[in-house]
Amino acid sequence: MSLDKGISEHPYGTAKFAPGAYSYFTADPGWELLGSSAQLAEHCPGGGGLQSARVSLARHAPVTPVDWPGACGPASTCYVQIPKKFYYITLLRDPVSRYLSEWRHVQRGATWKTSLHMCDGRTPTPDELPSCYEGTDWSGCSLQQFTDCPYNLANNRQVRMLADLSLVGCYNMSFIPEKKRAQVLLESAKKNLRDMAFFGLTEFQRKTQYLFERTFNLKFIRPFMQYNSTRAAGVDVDNDTILRIEELNDLDMQLYDYAKDLFQQRYQYKRQLERMEQRIKNREERRLHRSNESPREEMEEQGRLPTEDYMSQIIEKW
């Protein structure tokens, strides 16, 4: 399987999507469940998964970051052939918090200039993907400027990075009507999310850790922490601005609602499965305990000799 195909194979089916600006490749020769497999984790800017991706899963399985310079597909330089099975995973975040986090990141001077945005074998033209700023970066931009740019890739980023853009003509906005394009992208993102081996939610760190460990039969070295004091949480915005951000990220809002429901379903299923396995284990242990005790009791009954007091009573009666 070649990475440029964007195909993953895993217990939940097959997913096709374009890896994002940052993806994390984890080799796992010593993992019990995956065997000769590998894991690809898509990191969406502002999604809060960067630090999680760098946490060692186990003492023998460190995570190795690989930078793929393309928000719509791996660059040609990343074309490799590896005889491994791949698992795609991702972390989603509340769209408003993620959007504000990305704005703060851009405000500090971050750019994705090296991203080629490859799609169907080519990069978008300047007309298809205009820039929101002139110069080397967009540092110091206000939130108003950030939301006013109609070409801002921060809008609905999670849907776009999870969907198969080739279905809508990549970045060619005239390929299909805008309303149809939005619906196709949303449904594609939902399908790929369903087909992923695992996905987590930044707002539910402990449940995310539980699901990951149960899915891949691995244990993290330390428990996930739920940090609510993020850069996005420190941004003071009014209700009108929040509504504006929700409007700009309407597809992400719909995807996140869907993801929360699917996440809870998977979590409840794993918990029920764990409880069932525990009941079976307890029943088996009780059965083994009884089987070990029964022969001992029979031997004690068969080999029991009269005690001295009992023999004395019989002699006295005689």
Side-chain angles (χ1 to χ4, degrees):
M1 192 203 80
S2 57
L3 293 183
D4 68 328
K5 297 297 183 182
I7 300 292
S8 66
E9 301 175 20
H10 46 71
Y12 291 102
T14 300
K16 181 178 180 182
F17 77 108
Y22 296 94
S23 295
Y24 292 85
F25 174 86
T26 304
D28 54 339
W31 293 8
E32 179 181 346
L33 176 67
L34 302 184
S36 60
S37 305
Q39 177 192 96
L40 285 171
E42 183 181 36
H43 173 65
C44 185
L50 180 58
Q51 295 303 321
S52 298
R54 287 179 175 168
V55 174
S56 292
L57 303 179
R59 298 189 187 279
H60 64 282
V63 173
T64 304
V66 174
D67 187 5
W68 276 1
C72 182
S76 57
T77 53
C78 292
Y79 181 93
V80 294
Q81 184 75 31
I82 304 176
K84 287 178 176 289
K85 189 175 183 180
F86 289 95
Y87 294 80
Y88 282 102
I89 69 173
T90 192
L91 288 177
L92 296 182
R93 187 177 182 180
D94 169 72
V96 174
S97 297
R98 196 215 62 78
Y99 189 88
L100 290 171
S101 179
E102 182 171 348
W103 163 62
R104 291 295 298 273
H105 196 47
V106 170
Q107 192 182 47
R108 294 192 303 273
T111 67
W112 288 271
K113 286 185 176 181
T114 57
S115 297
L116 299 179
H117 306 292
M118 289 288 294
C119 184
D120 275 353
R122 70 174 183 88
T123 59
T125 66
D127 290 336
E128 291 175 334
L129 192 60
S131 177
C132 286
Y133 59 90
E134 296 179 356
T136 56
D137 57 45
W138 207 4
S139 58
C141 72
S142 66
L143 182 56
Q144 184 69 46
Q145 291 173 319
F146 197 72
T147 57
D148 283 348
C149 178
Y151 319 113
N152 195 341
L153 292 180
N155 301 341
N156 293 311
R157 183 181 288 279
Q158 293 181 112
V159 164
R160 192 181 66 257
M161 291 184 70
L162 286 174
D164 180 4
L165 295 184
S166 64
L167 297 175
V168 294
C170 300
Y171 290 91
N172 182 3
M173 302 302 292
S174 62
F175 185 77
I176 58 175
E178 182 179 357
K179 188 174 181 180
K180 178 66 175 178
R181 175 187 175 89
Q183 189 61 36
V184 170
L185 286 176
L186 180 59
E187 292 306 316
S188 176
K190 287 180 178 180
K191 179 186 181 301
N192 285 333
L193 192 67
R194 286 195 306 271
D195 292 340
M196 279 190 174
F198 160 86
F199 74 89
L201 301 179
T202 304
E203 284 72 24
F204 299 94
Q205 292 287 331
R206 293 298 177 88
K207 289 183 177 181
T208 292
Q209 178 178 358
Y210 174 84
L211 266 179
F212 186 96
E213 292 177 342
R214 290 287 297 179
T215 299
F216 295 109
N217 194 25
L218 292 169
K219 286 291 185 180
F220 282 86
I221 295 174
R222 54 184 180 271
F224 286 13
M225 301 298 294
Q226 188 72 54
Y227 293 111
N228 295 321
S229 299
T230 61
R231 295 187 180 97
V235 179
D236 186 18
V237 293
D238 54 38
N239 290 333
D240 290 340
T241 303
I242 292 177
L243 291 175
R244 173 61 176 160
I245 295 174
E246 290 177 347
E247 179 184 356
L248 290 172
N249 294 273
D250 180 60
L251 297 182
D252 272 11
M253 297 294 292
Q254 294 183 61
L255 176 67
Y256 193 70
D257 286 340
Y258 176 82
K260 284 191 294 185
D261 182 64
L262 183 59
F263 180 84
Q264 292 297 338
Q265 290 181 39
R266 289 191 177 185
Y267 176 77
Q268 292 299 330
Y269 171 75
K270 290 294 184 181
R271 288 302 302 267
Q272 291 174 7
L273 191 62
E274 182 183 37
R275 286 192 288 266
M276 182 181 69
E277 292 171 352
Q278 188 61 48
R279 286 196 298 269
I280 294 174
K281 181 181 178 181
N282 293 340
R283 187 163 59 245
E284 184 65 19
E285 289 178 350
R286 289 194 298 268
R287 188 188 67 80
L288 290 174
H289 180 73
R290 287 196 300 268
S291 62
N292 291 334
E293 288 294 327
S294 297
R296 188 180 306 164
E297 293 176 356
E298 292 178 2
M299 290 178 62
E300 290 177 353
E301 288 291 340
Q302 294 174 0
R304 182 172 295 162
L305 298 174
T307 62
E308 183 178 351
D309 291 341
Y310 179 72
M311 292 299 297
S312 300
Q313 292 176 13
I314 293 177
I315 294 173
E316 288 178 1
K317 287 182 181 180
W318 285 353

